[in-house]
Amino acid sequence: AQSVTQPDIHITVSEGASLELRCNYSYGATPYLFWYVQSPGQGLQLLLKYFSGDTLVQGIKGFEAEFKRSQSSFNLRKPSVHWSDAAEYFCAVLLYGGATNKLIFGTGTLLAVQP
Amino acid sequence: DAGVTQSPTHLIKTRGQQVTLRCSPKSGHDTVSWYQQALGQGPQFIFQYYEEEERQRGNFPDRFSGHQFPNYSSELNVNALLLGDSALYLCASSLSGWDEQYFGPGTRLTVT
């Protein structure tokens, strides 16, 4: 069955430190992958997406993610975290084909940023 | 260009009641998907509407129903509310096919 796993429920980093959030997926076809960010009480904002091509994708707010097919992973990274990055981050895979077009989300990683 | 809008922002209902949530898609989008996000969880797919018909459905009971209007806006209806229906309900719009989905701010439903 298709699924997305985010192994880290909660991560705390210091402001200015680097960040890596892990995401593993299970999907038989070529995956279309996304990272979304959600601030408290808010909807989801798209950070970046991978459809094809270069496996290192750049997103908004200085985030990037690398698609590794051999590891079924799509980890999110940022070289220097800002206090405003504190939020919940969701990885998702798009199931598609025929009449299918739906996102499967992971359970999220809650990021806290220490001053 | 207005993004995806949802109304109301917050809603409090009693068990057994019925509720209707509304969504207007991003300009140019013709497909609307609904997701339920329980506290501390990722969003779960409820169903998707395209050309005024339900195109696909997730693992939700028939108490959850929807509608799409000719202007592509959509409603989510939930009958016989249960305490477990308390969640953030997110609407997402996209172009037909497998284009990326844009999310609205959500409607926070509390069932007491």
Side-chain angles (χ1 to χ4, degrees):
Chain A
Q2 304 91 348
S3 65
V4 175
T5 301
Q6 294 180 247
D8 305 305
I9 297 173
H10 186 259
I11 284 182
T12 300
V13 299
S14 298
E15 191 168 15
S18 64
L19 171 70
E20 182 168 23
L21 302 182
R22 296 183 291 165
C23 172
N24 292 96
Y25 67 90
S26 173
Y27 187 55
T30 300
Y32 296 143
L33 297 160
F34 303 80
W35 275 100
Y36 286 87
V37 61
Q38 186 176 39
S39 298
Q42 301 298 311
L44 298 169
Q45 181 182 21
L46 180 67
L47 285 176
L48 48 78
K49 62 184 178 182
Y50 171 77
F51 278 8
S52 65
D54 192 347
T55 57
L56 184 64
V57 294
Q58 302 297 321
I60 62 172
K61 304 184 179 185
F63 285 93
E64 66 178 27
E66 186 171 12
F67 170 60
K68 294 185 177 180
R69 184 185 298 273
S70 62
Q71 299 177 18
S72 298
S73 69
F74 188 57
N75 294 348
L76 181 71
R77 300 194 294 250
K78 186 170 185 178
S80 178
V81 171
H82 188 263
W83 64 265
S84 61
D85 293 324
E88 190 152 25
Y89 292 79
F90 292 94
C91 181
V93 62
L94 179 70
L95 305 188
Y96 64 94
T100 298
N101 174 17
K102 67 175 184 179
L103 287 167
I104 302 296
F105 287 87
T107 51
T109 297
L110 185 61
L111 174 65
V113 180
Q114 288 181 333
Chain B
D1 175 26
V4 180
T5 60
Q6 293 186 244
S7 64
T9 305
H10 295 88
L11 205 52
I12 300 175
K13 290 287 188 178
T14 303
R15 274 181 301 175
Q17 286 188 317
Q18 178 265 342
V19 68
T20 297
L21 311 182
R22 295 175 177 81
C23 171
S24 292
K26 181 178 170 65
S27 178
H29 286 182
D30 58 8
T31 302
V32 173
S33 302
W34 287 92
Y35 294 81
Q36 180 196 64
Q37 186 179 18
L39 199 61
Q41 300 296 318
Q44 299 288 318
F45 176 77
I46 302 175
F47 43 51
Q48 184 179 86
Y49 277 84
Y50 171 70
E51 292 188 345
E52 302 181 51
E53 290 191 358
E54 184 182 291
R55 179 158 69 174
Q56 189 173 13
R57 189 178 185 89
N59 295 325
F60 280 81
D62 292 344
R63 298 186 297 110
F64 289 78
S65 63
H67 188 77
Q68 187 178 35
F69 299 94
N71 67 353
Y72 306 124
S73 67
S74 176
E75 290 182 349
L76 164 65
N77 301 292
V78 187
N79 294 321
L81 284 167
L82 304 173
L83 294 179
D85 295 331
S86 295
L88 181 68
Y89 288 85
L90 296 166
C91 168
S93 74
S94 60
L95 287 172
S96 58
W98 50 266
D99 199 4
E100 66 181 271
Q101 298 184 15
Y102 292 78
F103 284 81
T107 294
R108 173 71 62 186
L109 172 65
T110 302
V111 182
T112 63

